């Protein structure tokens, strides 16, 4: 009996160790948006990665998070279903970059609401140097909440203030809304 328990615990430990690289590459952190950027594009997707340009000219890179692969949400942005990194330029001098993390409520991701957490930076540049701009954060859960902060040389230099949501998160293209194995595109 002890041998079976030991075997089961070893198998569970091995299973957990196998998922550590996936959790590290798509979990929490400053650069958690997209780290698996070796190959794949809008037409030739890999299981975990896709990139492309949407109809509005927004460049995006998308990867599936651990919840998207396992089909199980934990109601946390640290356990995302998908992460989308975006970049767009409006007139050559102002650039918007951002990261949207999509996550699901606890339970099966096919039967639960998608929530999102987006962080966007708008920077005015001169000779490629970011002088001033804004950081806009948007959270979509039970309601949509947004706030904005001024930035100077890429660092927050103003007070955070609540603003009307711009609904940026809902406009971002998702390559893997159904998880690892299927795609709507």
């Amino acid at each position: 009996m002890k041998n079976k328990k030991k075997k089961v615990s070893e198998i569970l430990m091995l299973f957990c160790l196998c998922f550590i690289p996936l959790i590290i590459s798509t979990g929490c952190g400053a650069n958690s948006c997209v780290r698996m950027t070796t190959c794949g594009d809008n037409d030739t997707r890999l299981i975990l990665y896709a990139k492309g340009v949407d109809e509005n000219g927004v460049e995006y890179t998308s990867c599936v998070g651990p919840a998207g692969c396992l089909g199980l949400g934990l109601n946390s942005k640290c356990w995302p279903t998908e992460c989308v990194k975006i970049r767009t330029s409006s007139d050559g001098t102002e650039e918007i970059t951002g990261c949207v993390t999509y996550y699901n409520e606890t339970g099966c991701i096919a039967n639960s609401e998608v929530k999102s957490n987006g962080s966007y930076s708008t920077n005015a540049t001169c000779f490629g140097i970011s002088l001033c701009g804004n950081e806009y954060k948007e959270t979509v859960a039970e309601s949509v909440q947004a706030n904005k902060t001024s930035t100077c040389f890429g660092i927050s230099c103003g007070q955070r203030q609540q603003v009307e949501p711009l609904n940026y998160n809902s406009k971002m293209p998702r390559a893997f809304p159904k998880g690892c194995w299927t795609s709507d595109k």
Side-chain angles (χ1 to χ4, degrees):
M1 187 69 166
K2 272 192 172 189
N3 233 0
K4 280 188 176 183
K5 285 184 180 181
K6 187 176 179 183
K7 272 256 200 254
V8 169
S9 65
E10 286 175 354
I11 290 171
L12 288 174
M13 183 66 100
L14 183 62
F15 183 75
C16 291
L17 287 174
C18 288
F19 277 97
I20 287 175
L22 180 65
I23 292 167
I24 289 171
S25 64
T26 61
C28 283
N31 296 318
S32 67
C33 198
V34 176
R35 291 188 185 172
M36 291 177 278
T37 56
T38 52
C39 52
D41 58 31
N42 198 36
D43 298 318
T44 58
R45 284 179 170 57
L46 289 186
I47 291 172
L48 297 174
Y49 169 79
K51 73 176 184 175
V53 179
D54 78 355
E55 59 274 359
N56 299 317
V58 177
E59 294 176 42
Y60 69 91
T61 310
S62 184
C63 72
V64 179
C69 280
L70 298 176
L72 180 68
L74 296 181
N75 201 27
S76 170
K77 66 180 181 179
C78 298
W79 186 257
T81 56
E82 183 172 351
C83 301
V84 181
K85 182 178 179 181
I86 63 116
R87 179 180 176 171
T88 185
S89 179
S90 60
D91 60 5
T93 59
E94 188 176 75
E95 181 178 77
I96 299 173
T97 56
C99 174
V100 188
T101 304
Y102 295 95
Y103 60 101
N104 285 83
E105 292 177 350
T106 306
C108 179
I109 67 167
N111 299 324
S112 60
E113 294 264 331
V114 174
K115 300 178 179 185
S116 60
N117 190 291
S119 181
Y120 304 87
S121 295
T122 306
N123 296 310
T125 59
C126 184
F127 300 110
I129 299 170
S130 172
L131 300 177
C132 60
N134 293 301
E135 183 179 57
Y136 171 78
K137 293 194 176 196
E138 188 175 281
T139 303
V140 179
E142 285 74 34
S143 64
V144 182
Q145 297 177 6
N147 57 60
K148 193 174 179 179
T149 309
S150 296
T151 58
C152 308
F153 299 103
I155 300 168
S156 293
C157 61
Q159 285 194 333
R160 188 171 301 277
Q161 58 185 8
Q162 291 238 280
V163 295
E164 278 296 312
L166 301 172
N167 297 313
Y168 278 177
N169 292 7
S170 62
K171 296 175 186 172
M172 289 303 105
R174 289 187 65 195
F176 304 99
K178 296 178 183 173
C180 266
W181 309 105
T182 61
S183 171
D184 283 346
K185 292 188 179 183

